[in-house]
Amino acid sequence: MTSLTRKAFGSGFQLGVATSSYQIEGAATEGGRTPSIWDEFAHRPGTIKDGSHGDVACDHYHRLDEDLGLLAWLGVDAYRFSIAWPRVLPNGRGKVNAQGLDFYERLVDGLLERGIAPAATLYHWDLPAALPGGWLERDTTQAFAEYADACAARLGDRVALWLTHNEPWCQAFLGYQTGMFAPGHRDFGEALLCAHHLLLSHGLAVEALRARTRSPVGIALNFMPAHAATGSAEDAAAARLQDGYFNRWFLEPVLGRGYPADMVERYGSAMPAVSDADLRVIAAPIEVMGVNYYERAVVAHDAGDALLGVRRIADTGLPRTADREIYARGLHELCTRLYREYGIQRLVITENGAAFPDTVAADGSIADAGRVAFLGEHLAEVLRAREDGVPIEAYFAWSLLDNFEWSEGYTLRYGIFHVDFATQRRSPKDSAKLLKTLGRRG
Ligand code: FCB
């Protein structure tokens, strides 16, 4: 880890941190914002582990200047945030709420004044509840293009990197197959329909952004390398299916390869109708592939699983964070594959990070050795991949702040800054100090 210096990454490399709107902003009913599907979902009893919601979260909406100060202190090159669609278009489409965009303009200009490149994600799961039918309705794809246009009309070239969706897999499959995320449905056919509409809306948004900005455009997909539990042919086939379900389902259509044929066959009548025209829209050229990486999946064949015949082995004996196994090498493996097998020329690690049960010492310090090691090991894999010629341009740690961790509520802390949710006090953990030493002023 001694080799982990800023210099080792080269001058063009960007180090950043990431957040998302619903997880940090709060101010749920202010500035003309209307409810998103996450407001509705979190307020439904039994959906969130600790019964919490994002009404206040980190109160970032009211503490923008303070949080810009944290970013400046870190000396990061870039900051990835998401825009809340219900702030910008309270009805989902139609009339633009200028006040909503004012907030993001203050953020973007505040970043630029501090020499930090803004990376904006349009959709990190907070769909306006006002849109009838949500992602099951094809019309929502047009609404998303309108929303992309409104954001880029105001913020265009000032945003250095535009990302359409964050982890559409989670929105589609956790939102519509397992019911773990908003809107909490449990229907595999709906999940596939949602996935298709997310992809279509991505393509439409890319076109809309193109008309307004010269900045690079991409999408942030979440990937989990799939490994077979044993050397058996059955387990190898299971790993391939897991890969199709999780990784290839979004990647391949975006890259113009259409939906993976093996999975389409497997899904049979659950598949929605997909026209060639839709596939052409989805394949709109993008400059950057955003990579969210947290873990791998080790899987075995299991005839008892009706959909894929796959069983995930949750514990393979590796060291763990609060919620998953640690497998840093997977980041190198994944990026190498995206470059060599898929020919992707510009990769950005849009998320990577870890939750640990941090303790605040009497003097206020937070010695999060686990997170420091996690970030260090993953950055070392990024470095190793770059040295192997894999074009990784930037790395965003998840997350700037402890925040509302979706269905886990506030029980998982992913921040490099600790947040005391009673006082909203932010305190740097040792991991924040690590990033600061790798930052421009470190
Ligand atoms: C990712 C999400 C992000 C956060 C991290 C821990 O899947 O994109 O919002 O929840 O996991």
Side-chain angles (χ1 to χ4, degrees):
M1 254 195 57
T2 40
S3 64
L4 208 62
T5 59
R6 178 161 186 91
K7 210 162 147 235
F9 287 94
S11 58
F13 188 79
Q14 290 194 319
L15 184 70
V17 288
T19 62
S20 88
S21 46
Y22 188 68
Q23 293 181 276
I24 65 165
E25 283 180 4
T29 58
E30 291 175 55
R33 182 187 185 276
T34 55
S36 74
I37 57 173
W38 263 96
D39 296 82
E40 292 192 346
F41 182 74
H43 280 275
R44 212 178 295 158
T47 54
I48 311 298
K49 197 174 193 173
D50 56 3
S52 66
H53 46 67
D55 285 8
V56 177
C58 306
D59 199 31
H60 168 72
Y61 188 80
H62 295 121
R63 289 163 200 267
L64 181 58
D65 290 338
E66 181 184 351
D67 292 341
L68 284 166
L70 304 183
L71 293 163
W73 179 86
L74 282 170
V76 284
D77 306 289
Y79 174 57
R80 174 177 177 239
F81 60 95
S82 81
I83 300 176
W85 185 348
R87 286 197 193 283
V88 176
L89 295 171
N91 298 319
R93 61 193 313 171
K95 195 168 159 21
V96 174
N97 172 36
Q99 228 189 321
L101 284 170
D102 290 347
F103 173 72
Y104 297 105
E105 185 162 58
R106 279 214 290 136
L107 169 59
V108 165
D109 289 345
L111 291 168
L112 293 173
E113 279 161 23
R114 291 162 179 82
I116 302 167
T121 306
L122 289 174
Y123 187 73
H124 204 122
W125 313 338
D126 41 3
L127 183 75
L131 284 169
W135 283 116
L136 298 180
E137 195 51 62
R138 190 176 168 95
D139 225 31
T140 297
T141 65
Q142 290 295 342
F144 188 63
E146 280 180 33
Y147 163 57
D149 176 70
C151 293
R154 177 74 82 93
L155 300 170
D157 292 345
R158 278 181 287 169
V159 166
L161 169 64
W162 286 96
L163 298 158
T164 56
H165 285 288
N166 178 73
E167 303 193 350
W169 185 88
C170 291
Q171 174 60 93
F173 293 96
L174 301 182
Y176 289 88
Q177 182 193 2
T178 71
M180 218 176 104
F181 279 9
H185 294 200
R186 287 195 176 86
D187 180 312
F188 190 66
E190 285 191 4
L192 293 178
L193 184 61
C194 168
H196 185 60
H197 288 157
L198 289 168
L199 283 164
L200 187 59
S201 72
H202 156 78
L204 293 170
V206 170
E207 285 172 27
L209 292 168
R210 286 274 175 255
R212 299 273 194 189
T213 179
R214 285 157 300 174
S215 297
V217 174
I219 185 168
L221 299 180
N222 50 329
F223 296 99
M224 254 197 304
H227 293 169
T230 72
S232 77
E234 278 188 325
D235 286 353
R240 182 76 188 151
L241 287 171
Q242 167 68 25
D243 182 50
Y245 169 68
F246 200 91
N247 303 315
R248 291 183 283 129
W249 195 251
F250 292 90
L251 177 66
E252 297 196 356
V254 164
L255 296 179
R257 298 183 180 207
Y259 286 108
D262 55 338
M263 304 312 295
V264 171
E265 193 188 325
R266 181 109 202 159
Y267 295 158
S269 61
M271 269 301 285
V274 173
S275 69
D276 287 347
D278 282 4
L279 290 175
R280 278 195 296 276
V281 173
I282 293 168
I286 52 174
E287 285 79 30
V288 167
M289 178 59 69
V291 175
N292 290 7
Y293 175 72
Y294 290 91
E295 59 183 332
R296 68 169 176 175
V298 175
V299 297
H301 171 69
D302 181 354
D305 171 42
L307 181 65
L308 301 173
V310 165
R311 176 168 50 88
R312 180 147 180 219
I313 293 156
D315 184 356
T316 69
L318 293 176
R320 301 183 67 84
T321 68
D323 60 337
R324 347 183 186 226
E325 285 193 334
I326 303 171
Y327 189 69
R329 276 170 48 200
L331 185 54
H332 179 282
E333 174 189 324
L334 165 63
C335 292
T336 303
R337 178 188 187 197
L338 293 172
Y339 174 56
R340 300 216 193 284
E341 184 180 333
Y342 287 97
I344 297 173
Q345 297 300 317
R346 295 178 68 180
L347 294 165
V348 166
I349 311 305
T350 31
E351 280 181 34
N352 174 241
F356 285 98
D358 303 313
T359 41
V360 184
D363 67 355
S365 63
I366 300 139
D368 60 336
R371 189 176 293 101
V372 167
F374 183 100
L375 295 176
E377 285 162 18
H378 286 77
L379 277 163
E381 292 298 326
V382 169
L383 192 55
R384 191 161 71 86
R386 278 170 62 87
E387 284 164 0
D388 291 346
V390 179
I392 305 174
E393 296 182 358
Y395 172 96
F396 291 87
W398 182 272
S399 181
L400 174 67
L401 302 169
D402 290 337
N403 58 44
F404 176 74
E405 181 46 39
W406 309 112
S407 45
E408 299 294 323
Y410 297 95
T411 66
L412 288 178
R413 292 181 177 270
Y414 271 91
I416 59 167
F417 278 87
H418 178 271
V419 177
D420 177 338
F421 290 102
T423 61
Q424 291 296 344
R425 188 185 150 86
R426 283 92 160 109
S427 313
K429 305 179 189 176
D430 283 357
S431 52
K433 295 174 187 163
L434 166 72
L435 288 200
K436 184 174 164 67
T437 63
L438 294 172
R440 281 170 296 157
R441 295 184 260 283

